[in-house]
Every structure is written in C-alpha cells, then in structure tokens.
Amino acid sequence: MEALVLRIDVGPRIGLGHMRRATALAEEARSLGLATLFACSAQARPILEREGVSPDALIEPDAIEAAGPRATVLVDTLWSGNGAATALEVERLVAAGLTVAVLDSLPRDHYEVPPAGRGADLVVTPYLAAERFRSAPRAGRWLTGPAFCVLDPAFARARAGMGRRAGDRILFSCGGSDPEGTTAAFLDRLGRDTRPVDVVIGPLFAGPLRARIEAAAATRPAVTLHHAPTTLASLMAGAGLVAGRAGLQRYEAAALGRTGVYLHHGDSFHGYFEAFASSGLARIHFAARPGGVEGFLDDLARIARPGAHLPELAFNEAAFAAVDGGGARRLIEAFWAVSRS
C-alpha cells in the first residue's frame, strides 16, 4: 500500500461523521509512512479544506483509478439510501484492480455485494455486537466490533491521560448540522439555574438555528457555546455526561468512560441502539416513538438541575472497557495486511 485513498462525502444531510473518520484514518496512515488522498464530491471539498485538508490531497471520485495500481481505497459512503450506489462504486474500483475496503453500516444501510459482483477485499463493521444485526458480507475478510471503531487519535491521548473520574458538566452536541433543531429545543427546556453545560454549534448549522441557540445561551449563565471545534476530546474529558444526537459521539464518549443520553432520529437501527443501551453504555430515546423527543428533553432537564451528584455523571466502567480508542490504527494495519497479501 503506497497510497491510501479515502472515499467519503460530507454535507448538511450526511453530516460530518464520515469526514471525522477519514481524517483520523489519514493521521494514522501518515504515521505509518503512507500517503493519503481524499476522494469526495465538489460539495464536500470546501468543508474538508476548512478542516485543514490540503487541496492537493483532494480528488474527484472518478479519478480514483488514476491514483495508480498500488493505491488502495477505503470506501465510507454508506448512509441512508446510498447502499446501492456504494456497492456499484466498489465493484467499479475492484474491477480496476484496486484493493478496496468498505467501512460498513448496519441494516438497512449496510454493504451488500450485487448478485454478480466480486465484493470488497475487506469489510469492517465497527459496531457493538454487529454480527447480531447483519449476516457476513461476501468479502475477502470481515472484521466487526468496537475494536475497529474509528475515532480521532485525540481520544486515545485523552484516555491515556485521565483518571477514572467524571465531572459535573454536561456536553451537548448534535453533530455538524442538527437539521431537526434539537440543540435549540434543549436550551429552551433549561432554566437559568443549571449544572454547567457545554453546547457545540457545528460548522453546518443553519443561520436561523445558530441565532436561536445564541439568544437562548445569552440568558443562561451556566451555558458555554463552542463553535465548530475540530475535536470533542477535551470537552468530553471535562464532562460528566454526553448528550445529543446518537452519532459517532456515542463511541467517543464511551472511550472516555462517559455515559451518554442520546436522541435517535429515523426508523432504522432501533434494535442495535437498544442493545447498545442495554450494555450500559448510554440511555437512548427514539424520536419516532410517542413522546420520544419530549422524554429526551425531560430526561436532560432533570439531570441538568443542580444538586446531588447523579449516577449518570459517574465514570462509566462498562463504556470505558468497550471502546479503547485504537480502532483507526487497527483498521489501517488490517487493511495494509490485506493489500500486501
């Protein structure tokens, strides 16, 4: 493997999780002496550049084959409704003679090989108990579980330097865009007298939502706003509880021994999230169920009231044991071994 091509896309609908994984993988690849390129849509390019990715490292998806026969490709484009397109793109790259890995999702957004397809060389499904929720894909090799969950290396560094304790703060984040406006609804539910609350405003938040959040925070002294931080590692390390959208941060928080209270939108992954919660890593509310959003907001409003230290704010040993933050390096090393075989 002389060059690693990371095939991703980002945007208001997709979010930033794919980009965060890609930049973490790129950092690990560079530490092993591997060049990295990002293959993405024109919409994604300015977002990646704002995150510090060099324009020289950005290529069009149709130009991947031109990266050379020694290049390998990791495809992370599985989101709702994009499964078939991802499978076809993988087949195109495999047919061109490239070594291809897929960063998988769970049903209904998981990777499936077309009936006459060859399949990827490596598929990684980095979810807790993933094998309970999907069958083995037709691939050269399949790796599963949170040991391969890709996190910013800053989380491994924060984990190494922390003790087994948690703070009294609440960290609230709904990812890069928050299309449902949950951040503003959360602040509206808070009174003036609360525990310290850190609120993240993602780089793709719409202007009106940003204005609502800033106005609400101005009347709540305990609320601190954080505009588009490049990593949440230090904020999570200083928190007792992590809350918001049930995205990648459910694993980020777990790696630091933080309990999560999350709201899941959509009608997919309910079984997986229920299993995730039953493992003691988080409490998850479902927006599609009656009272789901209100229950989530009520839950957080209760925890935010100042007073005795609550169990939700204690160090979470089960979460800390489940996710160790080393998934990016394991994935790169596994892919490297496949590419050299």
Side-chain angles (χ1 to χ4, degrees):
M1 189 197 309
E2 293 182 354
L4 173 64
V5 180
L6 297 159
R7 170 68 179 101
I8 61 165
D9 273 324
V10 299
R13 176 172 166 266
I14 301 167
L16 298 178
H18 300 261
M19 181 189 70
R20 300 288 189 218
R21 286 192 290 268
T23 54
L25 289 165
E27 183 173 335
E28 292 290 358
R30 285 192 294 269
S31 74
L32 297 171
L34 304 173
T36 56
L37 297 170
F38 295 79
C40 60
S41 67
Q43 178 193 34
R45 290 177 69 94
I47 301 172
L48 283 158
E49 289 179 23
R50 285 201 300 270
E51 293 289 318
V53 177
S54 169
D56 294 336
L58 300 173
I59 63 173
E60 296 290 332
D62 290 344
I64 293 175
E65 290 89 335
R70 297 300 302 277
T72 57
V73 188
L74 193 150
V75 179
D76 185 10
T77 57
L78 286 164
W79 57 82
S80 181
N82 202 50
T86 294
L88 290 175
E89 184 166 11
V90 168
E91 289 304 309
R92 188 195 89 215
L93 298 171
V94 169
L98 301 174
T99 303
V100 182
V102 175
L103 196 53
D104 194 18
S105 187
L106 291 174
R108 295 171 300 190
D109 303 326
H110 59 299
Y111 169 67
E112 285 191 308
V113 182
R118 294 169 54 185
D121 300 282
L122 174 67
V123 175
V124 181
T125 312
Y127 297 100
L128 189 71
E131 61 280 357
R132 288 175 51 190
F133 301 99
R134 69 152 303 171
S135 57
R138 186 152 46 91
R141 189 179 181 194
W142 186 37
L143 301 174
T144 68
F148 295 97
C149 180
V150 177
L151 304 181
D152 183 332
F155 286 90
R157 293 192 290 268
R159 177 185 170 97
M162 63 188 293
R164 279 171 157 72
R165 58 180 178 79
D168 197 46
R169 305 183 72 88
I170 296 172
L171 173 63
F172 189 92
S173 173
C174 276
S177 57
D178 190 9
E180 295 83 13
T182 309
T183 306
F186 164 65
L187 289 176
D188 289 343
R189 190 61 61 94
L190 293 182
R192 283 181 55 84
D193 185 20
T194 69
R195 300 179 192 273
V197 178
D198 293 297
V199 173
V200 175
I201 298 179
L204 304 181
F205 276 36
L209 175 59
R210 190 184 301 267
R212 280 185 62 198
I213 293 168
E214 291 172 346
T219 65
R220 292 163 173 81
V223 173
T224 302
L225 299 182
H226 302 269
H227 295 266
T230 56
T231 178
L232 297 183
S234 61
L235 290 172
M236 285 189 184
L241 179 85
V242 176
R245 178 184 286 272
L248 181 61
Q249 70 178 355
R250 68 190 181 276
Y251 284 108
E252 295 173 337
L256 299 184
R258 289 350 186 204
T259 295
V261 176
Y262 303 122
L263 180 65
H264 173 60
H265 291 274
D267 57 0
S268 299
F269 311 139
H270 282 206
Y272 157 73
F273 280 121
E274 287 166 349
F276 188 92
S278 67
S279 298
L281 277 63
R283 187 156 58 244
I284 299 178
H285 299 262
F286 297 92
R289 294 179 180 173
V293 175
E294 289 301 308
F296 168 73
L297 296 174
D298 289 342
D299 202 4
L300 289 181
R302 174 187 60 81
I303 297 169
R305 295 188 195 106
H309 192 76
L310 300 176
E312 293 93 338
L313 297 164
F315 186 84
N316 189 324
E317 291 284 356
F320 195 73
V323 185
D324 68 4
R329 179 166 287 267
R330 288 191 191 95
L331 197 159
I332 292 293
E333 290 175 344
F335 195 16
W336 195 355
V338 168
S339 73
R340 297 173 70 187
S341 62

